[in-house]
Amino acid sequence: SPAAIAITEQPVSVSVPVGYSFSLRCRAEGRTSLQYQWFCQHQSVCRQIPGATKQDLPITAQQTQLYTCRINDLHRNVVFSDWVKVEVHQCVARGLPPRLWRGEPVIVLNPTEQRVEVGKPLQLQCAAMGVPAPSYQWYRNGNLLEQQKKKKLWITHAKVSDSGTYLCCASNSHGEHWTNAVDVHIGETLPPPEHLRLCRFVFPLATGKIALLVGNNHYQHHPNLMAPVTDVFELSLLLEQLGFQVVSLLD
């Protein structure tokens, strides 16, 4: 009968760094003694875990997998626990999680600033480790976004009103952790003005704020040029607008 076995403690999903050791727990009560058997599923292949016949399943995290526990009694009654996900982060920065980590959320992927055309999809991503696995809640300009409760925030057709500052809160029973806040710009695309395009091309790596411009008009084996003078003048105006100190030399 269905009530012959009652699960009193379901296993819980976790999100952990590779190599992390922990146990999945399952507890049940029945009218006779109970037998436990754990199963795992990776990329849609489900298999019984040899020797995993206790209430607790010790795991050293290697790859993201799903797990369930089968419980049966001596009368052929069988129940399965919830499927839980053990999400494994392969490339967590050194020092994460903290040595004394008790399972509170630790952000391992922050969203990045986005510029999106009106009508195009907007996607923001974050990820956090946690035991149990954290739940997620996204905010825009400090306002909770009812529908956005996953690691990935997805808006199929972005509107101008979707512009703003976004961040996500990852929380579990041990606490909460917030991602960085990022700006999202939704608008009609305008080709960048010609001079800005030139700047991005000419100065992609400019880190200092001093520009040296040299215009050569006179050449030994070539008629005099006029363009360099106007070029230097135009570029120096432009660079000053961008906050450069400009030194202009002719010939």
Side-chain angles (χ1 to χ4, degrees):
S1 64
I5 303 171
I7 294 183
T8 56
E9 184 182 344
Q10 293 278 6
V12 295
S13 295
V14 301
S15 182
V16 295
V18 67
Y20 186 77
S21 294
F22 63 101
S23 287
L24 291 179
R25 290 168 55 89
C26 186
R27 297 289 184 273
E29 289 173 354
R31 295 176 197 148
T32 72
S33 62
L34 300 177
Q35 295 171 325
Y36 292 77
Q37 175 64 58
W38 288 89
F39 294 79
C40 68
Q41 179 178 323
H42 177 62
Q43 292 171 344
S44 78
V45 177
C46 183
R47 60 183 182 82
Q48 185 171 310
I49 304 171
T53 55
K54 296 198 168 66
Q55 294 175 322
D56 291 2
L57 174 68
I59 293 175
T60 298
Q62 295 303 329
Q63 60 184 357
T64 297
Q65 295 192 117
L66 300 172
Y67 293 84
T68 186
C69 186
R70 184 190 69 203
I71 304 129
N72 61 278
D73 65 11
L74 304 179
H75 299 307
R76 297 190 180 172
N77 295 304
V78 175
V79 293
F80 280 85
S81 75
D82 295 343
W83 280 98
V84 293
K85 184 179 194 178
V86 172
E87 183 180 34
V88 180
H89 298 274
Q90 296 292 343
C91 51
V92 171
R94 276 199 302 279
L96 288 177
R99 270 202 304 278
L100 300 172
W101 191 48
R102 293 191 180 86
E104 67 276 9
V106 176
I107 303 291
V108 294
L109 175 66
N110 276 290
T112 54
E113 187 176 328
Q114 303 287 322
R115 290 179 177 273
V116 177
E117 278 182 63
V118 172
K120 291 279 165 63
L122 165 63
Q123 181 181 304
L124 293 171
Q125 262 180 289
C126 73
M129 297 188 304
V131 180
S135 52
Y136 296 88
Q137 177 61 63
W138 287 88
Y139 293 78
R140 181 183 65 240
N141 299 335
N143 299 314
L144 185 146
L145 298 170
E146 271 307 326
Q147 308 302 315
Q148 304 292 353
K149 294 180 181 295
K150 297 189 171 153
K151 280 188 290 191
K152 283 187 186 173
L153 174 143
W154 177 260
I155 295 171
T156 321
H157 304 291
K159 304 185 292 295
V160 173
S161 59
D162 292 320
S163 296
T165 302
Y166 285 74
L167 48 65
C168 187
C169 178
S171 60
N172 68 10
S173 49
H174 299 292
E176 58 182 33
H177 209 137
W178 296 77
T179 66
N180 295 343
V182 296
D183 290 327
V184 171
H185 311 271
I186 316 286
E188 306 296 344
T189 49
L190 296 170
E194 203 52 53
H195 64 269
L196 281 177
R197 199 179 297 149
L198 175 69
C199 272
R200 283 193 203 120
F201 178 63
V202 177
F203 307 109
L205 301 172
T207 49
K209 282 292 189 182
I210 299 175
L212 172 64
L213 298 178
V214 179
N216 272 332
N217 288 327
H218 300 295
Y219 287 86
Q220 207 174 343
H221 304 296
H222 197 284
N224 287 356
L225 304 175
M226 273 318 294
V229 180
T230 53
D231 287 353
V232 164
F233 178 69
E234 291 217 8
L235 267 175
S236 64
L237 282 181
L238 184 72
L239 289 166
E240 274 160 14
Q241 286 170 11
L242 292 170
F244 283 79
Q245 260 182 291
V246 180
V247 180
S248 303
L249 302 174
L250 293 174
D251 293 318

